[in-house]
Amino acid sequence: MTRAYSITTKELADRLRRHEDMPAELRTDAHLICNTPAAIDFNSPGAQGFGVKRTGLAIPGSIMLLISPACCGRNTAALSGEEHYGERFAYLNLDENDIVTGRHLTKIPAAVKAFAASRPQPPSVVLLCLTCVDALLGTDMERVCRKAEKAVNLPVRPCYMYALTRESVRPPMTAVRETIYGLLAPRKKCPTQANILGFFTPLDGKSELYALLHQAGLKKIGELARCQSYEEFQQLGAANFNLVLADEAMPAALALEKRLKIPAIRLQRLYETDKIARQYQALGNILGHTFADAAYRRQAEEAVHNFCSHWQAKLHIAIGSRVNANPFELALALVRAGLHVSEIFALPSAADSFYINRLAELSPTTCIYSNLEPTMLNYKEDASVNLTIGADACSYHPQAGQLPWNDTVQPFGYAAVTGLFAAMERVLQAKAAAPAKTRTAPTAKSPYEAAPAEAFDLSQLSPDIPAGLSLRLPPFATDTSGAASVFYPLHGMTVIVDAGGCAGNICGFDEPRWQENPEERHAKPRGTANSISAVFSAGLRDMDAIMGRDDRLVKKITQAAKQLPVAFAGLVGTPVPAVIATDFRALCRMIETSARIPAIAVRADGTHTYDRGASGAYTALLRRFDKNEPLPAEKSASARENCQPSLGVLGLTPLDFSPAAEKNLRRLLRQKKGTGSVCFFDKLADFRQASGLQELLVVSPSGLAAARRLQKKYPASITAVSTELPAEFITMTWEETIDETIAKTAQAAAKKSPAPLRILIVHQQVLANGLRHVLQERLPQAEILTGTFFLQDDELCADGDLAFRGERDFCAALHSQPFAIVLGDALLRRALPKDFAGTFIDLPHFAVSGHY
């Protein structure tokens, strides 16, 4: 097994002095992008940090229309549950025809108009968030925005969420700052006003920077994050100068300097007090003022001294990249203070060479790791580390003292130093006082307990609004997530063929097993039951997509396969390979030849629902691994019965079943059939031995196609295919809902009206049918229908069952039909019509809301 790659500061400094290239392991273009909890900010910044989506909504009163395949907006469900963002997103979900023909561009003005009209108050600006699809199509969004502006008489601006261009000269987070500050109009200059640019959350109010600027005669300090209205935001255009605290904001600041004549001054966030002092001195020289900062410096240095005098000999520190600091500058500051830094988890840039050279002199054995490099799945925790700084470093050392130091409120200056060392002291004191704790998985709770305030009545929408527009419901899990969920437990290498964002959506939002088992990262011998499940991004960049560089992807997969004990490579398509028409069949042949492991692919494109992707994965796995391999001849009939399962269960993934529900079903089926008699197609052996099964139970529509394929291929052995979930399973899993909530509601409804009780169950079709059968036995007079946003098989439908193409269909059905009870995921409350008078009961569906 290959150990996790690392390089010491001395080794890296020596290499840079020889003018050698940065090691391939520290370059994101040279390998697959590893998905771990430590890397989630890189792969899915919109889910964990300030990606383009959250950033655009920093403008007061702004709203955002996300124009993309559903997979690109999936993790926005997490943001839409937050009070600050919930009502400010809408979605124009693209289908295959939109991507092929570009017809979605003609829908945008009407979608913007409907979105703006749905708001209780007129928005200040409408932002159009674009993804890699439009990057590849070469969409002229400036022209589209001008058309949309005419439709709504409001500013409409593009935000380019192009993961393909992440490492270009104008990456998305740089471009979005230019968009935001490009809205500022000329204002009469105020000589006593300065702006702070760089962050999208406010600077810590304890920072001395405010007091020092006031010393220099500045009366007003403008910050985007502190603006309460669009007019206050526009007042930023009156500043005498801008203080820029982040490199990504410099292009926007230079544009303001050129357009509005507002000079830009660059300041860095530093943790070495002597450098902070020199920076303030330089700023004072520019402003013609000498800052009185001695007291602040003294307080910071006292905090450093007091901490180090107590802890210096006891600490081994690991620093991550998910931290409110430059990790290399922070490491140097701690080393200069006399502390020992064992590890740094971050990618160095050319600008970090000074810090690396100094660290090589003072701490030559400090190891530098890349969170994104595939061998990080083999990382072995350094037991000597007892303090971690940065959320990613914390994930590698669950038993150490943990200081994420990545709060949204931004530290700066001497106050940042004082605050950091005070926080380190608190963490270590708490760690010393408390016994060691085992990390437990967080319980996912739905934030969607009620319909949004002042909800726009979707039933009143004009019938001519664009298809695919969703004003209340964020996208549900898509085919990319469904395919990955089937691959996940099989101990292979799941490669999401994307630029990074789609893989982040899957791991950061749609794969609860990945989120709940962050320590399950160490590999076992290839192909064994305990070997690793790895999820990677192909890390495509613009030229990879434009030039079709499949050979580079094959090389990356081959390299990773040599370093990790994986049983196969499972490729999952995304919108990017769909647009450029990637030949997955040829790609798989190339991988098998080069890497010498089986390779399969699912042609997902992010526009279909998750069950289609899961269905495609089951089919691809059976096509590749079901070879009707006979058992060894020496096995007797009794031995054959003992080792060969008789029942196969298809469609059991966390996107449909909570951990508790899955546990109940597994236990019940094993009790009925006997231990070893049931396979759940969660091991490759299950696919290889499918020919020996006698029965198949399909527990969600994603397993139907595979079950029918097997029955057709082995009609003699597979005699039964069932889609009926055991009634005992339904009862034990939803007993409280059935016995209490529904029973009480039914009794109350019967007193009000003699009409038959009407119930609607909204979930995936097989589970909804199972719940209907149980309820029908208890309420024989009730009229019970099922509805679904996902695959609906005609053979499983009853008269009156509903299929919803989107939120408008759902709202219209409840508006036109008087259901007394509706069971569905709590997220669906957002799409209830205003006149809904029935009872809504939460029936969680992870594929809908991302919550159990």
Side-chain angles (χ1 to χ4, degrees), residues 790-809:
F790 308 108
L791 285 175
Q792 189 178 61
D793 189 271
D794 291 343
E795 294 182 14
L796 306 184
C797 284
D799 290 342
D801 282 353
L802 303 171
F804 310 121
R805 291 173 296 175
E807 64 182 17
R808 186 166 53 169
D809 281 1

Side-chain angles (χ1 to χ4, degrees), residues 272 304-305 307-317 330-341 359 362-363 421 424:
E272 297 174 82
V304 175
H305 173 76
F307 179 89
C308 292
S309 62
H310 182 234
W311 295 102
Q312 182 173 352
K314 307 174 186 178
L315 284 187
H316 290 258
I317 303 171
L330 176 59
L332 180 57
L334 296 181
V335 167
R336 286 187 64 196
L339 301 173
H340 178 68
V341 175
L359 283 168
L362 301 175
S363 182
F421 280 86
M424 291 163 62

Side-chain angles (χ1 to χ4, degrees), residues 479 483 487 570-574 584 600-604 612-614 616-618 620:
D479 48 4
F487 286 154
L571 277 61
V572 178
T574 67
F584 278 105
I600 59 177
V602 178
R603 297 176 183 275
R612 291 181 184 271
Y618 281 125

Side-chain angles (χ1 to χ4, degrees), residues 660-723:
E662 180 182 344
K663 184 178 180 181
N664 288 341
L665 183 59
R666 287 177 180 266
R667 183 173 64 244
L668 180 63
L669 293 177
R670 284 168 175 158
Q671 287 174 353
K672 284 187 173 184
K673 297 291 182 178
T675 302
S677 296
V678 186
C679 77
F680 294 91
F681 289 94
D682 54 1
K683 300 184 293 294
L684 279 185
D686 296 340
F687 293 89
R688 292 191 172 105
Q689 300 178 19
S691 61
L693 295 172
Q694 299 170 15
E695 304 173 71
L696 293 173
L697 173 62
V698 180
V699 298
S700 72
S702 61
L704 278 172
R708 288 165 178 164
R709 174 188 174 88
L710 286 172
Q711 189 179 39
K712 183 178 180 180
K713 187 175 181 179
Y714 306 114
S717 59
I718 299 179
T719 58
V721 176
S722 173
T723 59

Side-chain angles (χ1 to χ4, degrees), residues 202-208 210 223 226 405 409-412 415-416 419:
L203 217 60
D204 186 351
K206 297 177 182 178
S207 174
E208 74 283 349
Y210 296 110
E223 289 181 77
R226 296 187 187 275
W405 198 245
V409 175
Q410 300 292 325
F412 189 83

Side-chain angles (χ1 to χ4, degrees), residues 439-690:
R439 181 187 296 186
T440 57
T443 303
K445 296 182 179 180
S446 175
Y448 310 106
E449 296 303 326
E454 300 184 78
F456 183 76
D457 193 351
L458 296 171
S459 63
Q460 303 302 315
L461 280 175
S462 169
D464 60 353
I465 69 165
L469 178 63
S470 179
L471 298 176
R472 285 285 173 258
L473 300 179
F476 303 149
T478 63
D479 48 4
T480 54
S481 296
S485 71
V486 174
F487 286 154
Y488 185 82
L490 303 179
H491 310 296
M493 175 196 302
T494 302
V495 180
I496 314 300
V497 187
D498 74 325
C502 295
N505 271 304
I506 291 167
C507 291
F509 200 74
D510 275 342
E511 185 44 77
R513 293 166 294 188
W514 182 90
Q515 299 172 56
E516 291 169 0
N517 297 289
E519 284 95 30
E520 192 179 306
R521 295 285 177 253
H522 302 304
K524 303 292 182 181
R526 178 175 295 180
T528 65
N530 294 320
S531 60
I532 201 164
S533 287
V535 183
F536 297 99
S537 165
L540 300 178
R541 293 298 171 256
D542 48 2
M543 293 308 296
D544 295 327
I546 293 169
M547 303 300 292
R549 294 169 172 170
D550 290 345
D551 57 325
R552 293 195 176 190
L553 178 56
V554 172
K555 183 178 179 180
K556 291 178 181 179
I557 292 173
T558 301
Q559 179 184 2
K562 291 177 180 178
Q563 298 169 328
L564 302 169
V566 292
F568 70 99
L571 277 61
V572 178
T574 67
V576 169
V579 171
I580 63 176
T582 295
D583 186 344
F584 278 105
R585 184 176 299 180
L587 196 55
C588 287
R589 288 197 299 266
M590 292 166 66
I591 292 168
E592 292 191 344
T593 301
S594 177
R596 300 190 179 281
I597 59 173
I600 59 177
V602 178
R603 297 176 183 275
D605 62 12
T607 68
H608 297 101
T609 54
Y610 75 99
D611 38 12
R612 291 181 184 271
S615 178
Y618 281 125
T619 301
L621 286 161
L622 287 170
R623 187 179 290 119
R624 181 65 178 80
F625 295 109
D626 171 29
K627 302 299 183 182
N628 192 13
E629 298 174 357
L631 292 170
E634 64 270 17
K635 296 243 182 221
S636 64
S638 60
R640 188 181 178 88
E641 290 176 1
N642 289 333
C643 72
Q644 176 66 51
S646 60
L647 173 65
V649 179
L650 284 158
L652 185 61
T653 74
L655 289 166
D656 289 315
F657 296 90
S658 69
E662 180 182 344
K663 184 178 180 181
N664 288 341
L665 183 59
R666 287 177 180 266
R667 183 173 64 244
L668 180 63
L669 293 177
R670 284 168 175 158
Q671 287 174 353
K672 284 187 173 184
K673 297 291 182 178
T675 302
S677 296
V678 186
C679 77
F680 294 91
F681 289 94
D682 54 1
K683 300 184 293 294
L684 279 185
D686 296 340
F687 293 89
R688 292 191 172 105
Q689 300 178 19

